[in-house]
Amino acid sequence: MDRMRTHLVYAHPHRASLNAALRDEAVQTLEGLGHTVTVADLYAMNWKAVADFDDFGPTESDAFIDAAAEAWEKGSLTADVKAEQERLLAADTVILQFPLWWFTVPAIMKGWMDRVFTNGFGYGTSRAWKRYGDGLLAGKRAMIVVTTGAADAHLSDRGINGDINDLLFPIQHGVLFYTGMEILPPVVITGAGWQTDYADMVKLLRHRLETLAETEPIAYRRQTEDYDENKRLLPGREPEGTTGFALHAA
Amino acid sequence: MDRMRTHLVYAHPHRASLNAALRDEAVQTLEGLGHTVTVADLYAMNWKAVADFDDFGPTESDAFIDAAAEAWEKGSLTADVKAEQERLLAADTVILQFPLWWFTVPAIMKGWMDRVFTNGFGYGTSRAWKRYGDGLLAGKRAMIVVTTGAADAHLSDRGINGDINDLLFPIQHGVLFYTGMEILPPVVITGAGWQTDYADMVKLLRHRLETLAETEPIAYRRQTEDYDENKRLLPGREPEGTTGFALHAA
């Protein structure tokens, strides 16, 4: 494998947590494979979670979305946001690791998304903006590593919490694939701390990191190929009876 | 209608935004209907978004989830969290209003969920904990008011962003219904600022507020009725071919 660069974005409030141990295993494994690894440990960095006008420097725009675009164009975004954008641009692989809190990322990681994937970098308001399979981060691979307190069955296809793959769709498809990255199937550790042995978790995580390059990405549909001018899936593209988020993967 | 009490949780960074105008319309409408209205304007309150050990006061617990439970039991949660819990307990109706950012709530509102719906209030680790249709907030009604920059078609059943009802499922079902509340269909304002007239938005919002009491909640399935001991939906409960989040509403 060529020398690769991985950016690991990590959020857990407890420095000695199971998640922290898994993060260290991940870094060690990746470095052992020859990757250069950068880590954004959001709690340790005291990452600012709330996107607001302070992110933009002086602005003449009233509307938030316009002020964001102005800051991107002028290069006046705050240094913490710029640094994360640069680490993303430099990486081949992006990993988000977090505990599932209320069925999505902790607020501090949502704040990483809100602030880093700002107007001009993560999205644009033009109809010509490249998205869903293309964008500034095209050519990179992204993978989620998530721990859940909930049991495996509760997050299974008929589980009461909803299927974990559907719960992760807004992040994997709506954030990461949106910005151009290819999405590898997530590493999901359910029943963390009571249902799953630590040794088994590490084995799974290592295996997935060792096979990053040859793992097949989720076959999300590209905006340019399978959708009409109103961004609706073209008729007949899906197996009969498919509904919901499943429509958007081939 | 009896005198009612509504708690409106609101997040937008711009004090003169479309969302702010809609919030003011909502408060005025509700007060006109005789509701007592409390507003948690998260940006204006400088709401702390990041859940961390500082939320708990002195603790002897190492693990975050245990420290949260200890703080709940000792009554040592921070004053801002306690105040929101009290407002929720006092309310008949809870409204969350936000712009859709990266297909879910802004980080500051995720932080409201992470911190207010803490171990002991929003969830418990016991198998006997009442959830999904029952819990501390049972008997109340909740409704989302959400604005999107994306067009209506993009968030429709076959839209590339995913169906807005699926995108809201983790919040409506996973957070609000989980804690016991009944969930009214959301007020969704797509193409905010360019596709929808302000007068039409206000008309829709007012109508939904005026009919809060008689609107039929989403028929999410109760944990105690439709799931097996592993919290999987019992066979045959759904129309043939149903998959994904749609399984969890009758």
Side-chain angles (χ1 to χ4, degrees):
Chain A
M1 198 193 298
D2 293 338
R3 186 161 184 86
M4 292 183 76
R5 187 178 284 270
T6 295
H7 187 43
L8 171 58
V9 185
Y10 168 81
H12 197 286
H14 187 202
R15 279 161 195 269
S17 64
L18 168 67
N19 263 280
L22 293 173
R23 174 203 59 205
D24 293 344
E25 297 278 2
V27 171
Q28 192 180 37
T29 301
L30 289 164
E31 288 180 345
L33 292 166
H35 289 236
T36 301
V37 183
T38 51
V39 178
D41 183 339
L42 300 179
Y43 274 92
M45 294 160 77
N46 198 21
W47 178 263
K48 175 176 179 280
V50 177
D52 59 24
F53 284 93
D54 291 344
D55 295 336
F56 305 141
T59 174
E60 290 169 18
S61 304
D62 261 359
F64 191 72
I65 197 169
D66 297 335
E70 184 190 332
W72 169 256
E73 281 158 27
K74 295 196 310 199
S76 63
L77 289 166
T78 52
D80 59 347
V81 168
K82 281 186 189 171
E84 283 303 299
Q85 291 173 340
E86 282 160 20
R87 285 161 132 189
L88 287 170
L89 291 171
D92 309 294
T93 307
V94 177
I95 296 176
L96 303 189
Q97 186 195 336
F98 56 93
L100 194 71
W101 283 5
W102 291 113
F103 306 111
T104 185
V105 294
I108 199 170
M109 190 174 279
K110 181 56 174 36
W112 179 88
M113 296 173 186
D114 289 345
R115 297 182 62 231
V116 175
F117 291 157
T118 187
N119 192 354
F121 184 82
Y123 70 97
T125 53
S126 148
R127 278 190 71 87
W129 184 267
K130 292 177 179 175
R131 54 172 81 85
Y132 287 121
D134 202 357
L136 280 188
L137 302 181
K140 305 175 190 300
R141 307 191 128 200
M143 184 170 82
I144 282 175
V145 177
V146 61
T147 61
T148 78
D152 192 50
H154 303 191
L155 293 158
S156 64
D157 56 345
R158 298 176 71 81
I160 193 165
N161 292 340
D163 188 310
I164 185 66
N165 294 296
D166 287 332
L167 292 168
L168 296 179
F169 178 90
I171 307 169
Q172 294 188 147
H173 177 270
V175 181
L176 303 172
F177 181 67
Y178 186 100
T179 60
M181 294 190 268
E182 295 196 295
I183 313 305
L184 302 186
V187 178
V188 180
I189 294 168
T190 53
W194 64 279
Q195 198 185 36
T196 312
D197 283 340
Y198 184 70
D200 290 339
M201 298 180 204
V202 172
K203 194 174 160 188
L204 169 66
L205 179 60
R206 282 203 182 147
H207 172 71
R208 291 298 311 281
L209 295 172
E210 285 161 2
T211 55
L212 273 177
E214 61 261 35
T215 299
E216 196 69 27
I218 300 172
Y220 290 132
R221 301 175 187 277
R222 295 168 65 89
Q223 171 167 310
T224 49
E225 290 173 10
D226 286 337
Y227 296 86
D228 67 17
E229 72 280 9
N230 290 315
K231 308 292 182 289
R232 284 170 56 86
L233 183 65
L234 291 164
R237 295 284 162 131
E238 75 280 14
E240 202 179 344
T242 307
T243 59
F245 293 152
L247 286 168
H248 305 289
Chain B
M1 198 194 299
D2 292 339
R3 186 163 184 86
M4 293 184 76
R5 186 178 286 269
T6 295
H7 187 42
L8 171 59
V9 186
Y10 168 81
H12 196 287
H14 188 200
R15 279 161 193 270
S17 64
L18 168 66
N19 262 279
L22 293 173
R23 175 203 60 204
D24 292 345
E25 298 277 3
V27 171
Q28 193 180 36
T29 302
L30 289 164
E31 288 180 346
L33 292 166
H35 289 236
T36 301
V37 183
T38 51
V39 178
D41 183 338
L42 299 178
Y43 274 92
M45 294 160 78
N46 197 21
W47 178 262
K48 175 177 178 281
V50 178
D52 58 25
F53 283 93
D54 291 345
D55 295 336
F56 305 142
T59 174
E60 292 168 17
S61 304
D62 261 359
F64 191 72
I65 197 170
D66 298 335
E70 185 190 333
W72 169 255
E73 281 157 28
K74 295 197 309 199
S76 62
L77 289 166
T78 51
D80 58 347
V81 168
K82 279 187 191 170
E84 282 303 299
Q85 292 174 339
E86 282 159 20
R87 285 161 132 187
L88 287 171
L89 290 171
D92 309 294
T93 306
V94 177
I95 296 176
L96 302 190
Q97 187 195 336
F98 56 93
L100 195 71
W101 283 5
W102 291 112
F103 306 112
T104 184
V105 294
I108 199 169
M109 189 175 280
K110 181 56 175 33
W112 180 88
M113 295 173 186
D114 288 346
R115 296 182 64 232
V116 175
F117 291 157
T118 186
N119 191 354
F121 184 82
Y123 71 97
T125 54
S126 148
R127 278 187 71 85
W129 185 267
K130 292 177 179 176
R131 55 174 80 84
Y132 288 121
D134 202 356
L136 281 187
L137 302 182
K140 303 175 190 303
R141 309 192 127 198
M143 185 171 82
I144 283 174
V145 177
V146 61
T147 62
T148 78
D152 191 50
H154 302 192
L155 293 158
S156 64
D157 57 345
R158 299 176 70 82
I160 193 166
N161 292 341
D163 187 310
I164 186 66
N165 294 296
D166 287 332
L167 292 168
L168 296 179
F169 178 90
I171 306 169
Q172 294 187 148
H173 177 269
V175 181
L176 303 172
F177 181 66
Y178 186 100
T179 60
M181 292 190 269
E182 296 197 295
I183 313 305
L184 303 186
V187 177
V188 180
I189 294 167
T190 53
W194 64 279
Q195 198 185 37
T196 311
D197 282 340
Y198 184 72
D200 290 338
M201 299 181 203
V202 172
K203 193 174 162 188
L204 169 66
L205 179 61
R206 282 205 181 147
H207 172 69
R208 290 299 310 280
L209 294 172
E210 285 162 2
T211 55
L212 273 177
E214 60 261 33
T215 299
E216 195 69 27
I218 300 173
Y220 290 134
R221 300 175 187 278
R222 295 168 65 88
Q223 171 167 309
T224 49
E225 290 171 12
D226 285 337
Y227 297 86
D228 68 17
E229 71 281 10
N230 291 314
K231 308 292 182 288
R232 284 169 57 85
L233 183 65
L234 290 164
R237 295 285 162 132
E238 76 279 14
E240 203 178 345
T242 307
T243 59
F245 293 151
L247 286 167
H248 304 290

